[in-house]
Every structure is written in C-alpha cells, then in structure tokens.
Amino acid sequence: MKLTRTNKQKYDTIKRTENSQISDVKMMKNKVIVVGGGMVGAATAVQLAKQGCQVRVIEQRVINAADVLASDKVDIRVSAINRFSENLLDELGAMATLRAHRHAPYRQLEAFERTGDNLLFDCLDINTTHLGHLIENNLIQASLWQQFAAHDIEVLEISHPLSAIEQDDQQVTLHYAEQQFCADLVVAADGGQSMLRQKAGIGVTGWQYGQHCMGVLIKLDAPQQVKTWQQFKPTGPVAFLPMQAPYANLIWYDDGSKLQSLKKLTPTEIKQQVLDNFPPLAGDFEVIEHAVFPLARQHANRYSQGRIVLVGDAAHTINPLAGQGVNLGFQDVVALADKLSNVDDIGAAQHLKQYEHTRRKANLLMMSMMDACYFGFSNQVTPLQWARSRFLKMANTTGPVKNWVLKYAISGELG
C-alpha cells in the first residue's frame, strides 16, 4: 500500500506511540510470582494483576475452582470475614460468586463467661446490616481463583520443594529441582511454615500455646442463626459459628492431649461431649466431621528480604480466638498493593519497607489483644474472675467504647 503524506504522518505517530508503550513496558519492573494460592495468596495475585502486574502463582495443589464451587461437600474450615475483607472480595470480583453459593451473614456477636455476664455486639448499634460473613475457606479460595483467567494469571503446579533462591539488584530467581523462575518481586503466601521465608533467611519469634483447638462441623435442626457466640471457660473458650443453614461450626479449645484423645471418638461420642461441654444449641444436631489442630503465635522478624515480601500467615500467625487471621492477611494485601501502585519497580526495597511499616505494628497490636483476652479468661484465679465479670458488664453498657471496639473488629481500622 502506498502511503500518502497524511497517512504516513499518522503511521509514524502510531509507531512512535507503540514504541513508547513497548519502551514503558520494558522499563516497568512488574513481574510478580506469588508462592501459595490460598485465600491470601490468591487475593494478592488478583489485586496486583488488576494493577497491571504480570502475575504467576506457584501452588503445590492446583484446584478446579468450578468443581469446588459446585460441590455439595461442606468444608470444616470456615472464616469469619469482616466488612473490610468483604469489601476487598467485592473489589476483586469474588464476593458476587460467594453470595451465589454458601455463605452466612451474622448480625450479632456475643462473648460471655457466665449467664448475665455477657458482652453483646449488634450490627444495629453501628447502623449496619451485618457484622460479617461466615464462609468456608475453600469457597473463598475458589471464588478468587475463578478471577485468574480474566487477569491472565498463570498457575504453575510444582510439587518439588523450593531448593534455592538467588537475588540481585534486578530480579529474584526461585529454583525448584530443574526449574527456575525469575521475577521482579516474589510474594511469600505459603503459610505459617513458609519455606520461602526460611530460604530467604527471615527468622520468626513466637510460641506454641499449651492448648489445641477442635473444630466440629454439625448439621443443626434449627432455622438460620444470625448470632455467633463465644463462652470463656477455665479450660479454654468454646464457640458457635453459624454457617449457612443447616450447617454450623463449633470451636473447642482445651488441653492438647485431651483433644487428641477426643479426636478418636465417633461422631455420636463427639456429640455427647458437645452436649456435656457447650451451652445449649438452638436445636438438635448431627456431627458431620471433626478435626484437631495445635495453636501457635508466630511473627516474622521482618516482612521483606531483598525482592521477597511476606503476606498472611507467612508473616504472622495469630490465636484464632476471634477469627481475625485471614482478615489480617487481607489487610496485608490491601496495604501491599497500595504501596506498589504506580511505581516503576515493585520489588524496590523502599516500597516493601513502607508496607512493613504500615502492617507490622497493626498486626502486632491485634496479636497482643487476642493474647490478652486468651490468657485473661483461660484461668480460675479468683481476682481475675471478679475482674472479668465486672469488665464484661461494664463493657456491655458503655456504648461509645463498645461501638469503637466493634468498628475496629469489623474494619481493622482504629479511626
């Protein structure tokens, strides 16, 4: 085709624009590898992809999101998603999927030790429709994985353990057996026992709690419940988490050896143990499944090393007393994405340090608050029993203080 003078000028302009765009892409260092495709890792992948990053997810066990969402099998693992996390899941496109599947908004949250010494939080106290949702972990994960295709997120299933990490000023390289993967930034979202964190030489502080926790999935013969509650006992708290009817999840803290022995009981025997150790439930119930796991507190000594950054349980594991673990992880996602928005090099140390400065103190505050509550209530010391009773009664009648605590619990913000 012969170009006229006018067409040639247009052609030259288009080529200059294309070359400029190609140059900009080359200059931008935005290739990301997220190691771990759980709830927090998947949210990180989608959020950074929405911001224009080229994202790969490395996962040992790749899931089929459509199959998980279509399955009738109910996951015993459940999370109390607060309003902050709900908003994030909405922005990432996952919440619409979750609303079409099993989910349970809860409107009230109650804590008590004895009848009459109760602290009740109600969504009406802060003029909102609900406090959060109780949703199965695998559904949250699958709803996020369902967004991968729309954002060109590549998933790599790698069963080999991470063997080595190489870093320089320009990139980070992960070695898995004979395979190597390079990126400008690597996000460690591979859980509390993070191999990536260990290989990066990032230490942790923390401890194992003396108690374990047993989760009991039940089928409850009662209408949809909208209140989640927690009773503090000398041996540890017990809690009720209302999932979408007819299901619910019971949480039981107790001595590790005791719960390990209970783990071997039949569903019928577990039901009797629940009847003996829990307050009365809203109706009769059937035990579907039960599992026991240890409790630990752990906090990374720093949140980044070179071009590697930690999020979620890889950075912090918290006592699950108030179900804040995944909510803290989602707050990490938002903070990290904010610090990496519109920057030329997402792996640059100054951006990762800004993220750490924002999140480390907030996570430590929540961890300390949960520990204070856990240790303060799990004993039979008479002065503390009297103080607990007074505290719960006073807190329940002090409107502004109670509402401030409630807003912090559902939003993660101190304002």
Side-chain angles (χ1 to χ4, degrees), residues 161-166 173-176 199:
L162 177 67
S163 56
I165 301 171
E166 288 183 84
T173 303
L174 304 180
H175 295 260
Y176 292 88
K199 290 289 186 182

Side-chain angles (χ1 to χ4, degrees), residues 15-268:
K15 291 304 294 180
R16 282 197 300 271
T17 302
E18 289 178 347
N19 290 336
S20 174
Q21 290 173 341
I22 292 171
S23 177
D24 287 345
V25 170
K26 288 180 178 178
M27 289 175 61
M28 291 287 288
K29 296 179 68 63
N30 66 352
K31 294 182 179 179
V32 180
I33 293 175
V34 178
V35 179
M39 294 182 288
V40 174
T44 305
V46 177
Q47 181 63 61
L48 293 182
K50 283 171 63 71
Q51 293 181 188
C53 295
Q54 302 171 45
V55 181
R56 282 178 160 182
V57 174
I58 292 179
E59 173 58 50
Q60 288 186 337
R61 293 176 294 276
V62 170
I63 67 168
N64 184 310
D67 287 350
V68 172
L69 292 168
S71 174
D72 292 331
K73 180 174 172 54
V74 179
D75 191 359
I76 192 173
R77 302 167 304 157
V78 61
S79 291
I81 299 298
N82 64 20
R83 296 300 294 267
F84 179 97
S85 298
E86 180 185 346
N87 291 338
L88 173 63
L89 293 171
D90 258 324
E91 292 174 10
L92 299 182
M95 200 64 209
T97 299
L98 291 170
R99 291 190 182 99
H101 292 79
R102 291 185 299 273
H103 72 290
Y106 62 94
R107 302 188 181 97
Q108 295 180 319
L109 189 159
E110 185 176 30
F112 60 96
E113 186 170 15
R114 296 171 297 185
T115 303
D117 295 343
N118 69 312
L119 174 58
L120 178 66
F121 297 102
D122 194 303
C123 64
L124 298 178
D125 294 337
I126 54 174
N127 299 313
T128 188
T129 57
H130 58 283
L131 302 179
H133 286 82
L134 287 154
I135 310 176
E136 297 154 58
N137 288 5
N138 65 348
L139 295 184
I140 298 171
Q141 180 190 21
S143 71
L144 289 163
W145 277 57
Q146 207 173 49
Q147 315 307 311
F148 285 2
H151 299 289
D152 296 323
I153 297 171
E154 181 183 7
V155 179
L156 304 172
E157 183 171 17
I158 300 178
S159 58
H160 299 293
L162 177 67
S163 56
I165 301 171
E166 288 183 84
Q167 293 200 64
D168 56 33
D169 292 340
Q170 299 300 315
Q171 66 179 13
V172 54
T173 303
L174 304 180
H175 295 260
Y176 292 88
E178 302 301 319
Q179 296 176 289
Q180 300 178 12
F181 304 97
C182 299
D184 304 309
L185 173 70
V186 170
V187 180
D190 51 341
Q193 301 303 314
S194 171
M195 179 60 69
L196 186 52
R197 183 192 65 225
Q198 295 175 41
K199 290 289 186 182
I202 300 176
V204 297
T205 56
W207 57 80
Q208 293 280 334
Y209 296 97
Q211 292 183 320
H212 283 43
C213 180
M214 180 162 69
V216 183
L217 176 65
I218 64 171
K219 193 171 184 179
L220 184 66
D221 183 17
Q224 180 66 54
Q225 301 295 293
V226 297
K227 179 170 72 174
T228 179
W229 52 255
Q230 187 162 263
Q231 181 187 27
F232 295 102
K233 304 176 71 174
T235 54
V238 295
F240 172 79
L241 308 178
M243 303 163 68
Q244 181 171 300
Y247 298 100
N249 199 294
L250 304 177
I251 304 297
W252 184 353
Y253 288 71
D254 213 314
D255 178 74
S257 58
K258 176 180 178 179
L259 291 185
Q260 286 296 337
S261 65
L262 293 180
K263 181 181 177 180
K264 303 172 185 177
L265 299 182
T266 66
T268 301

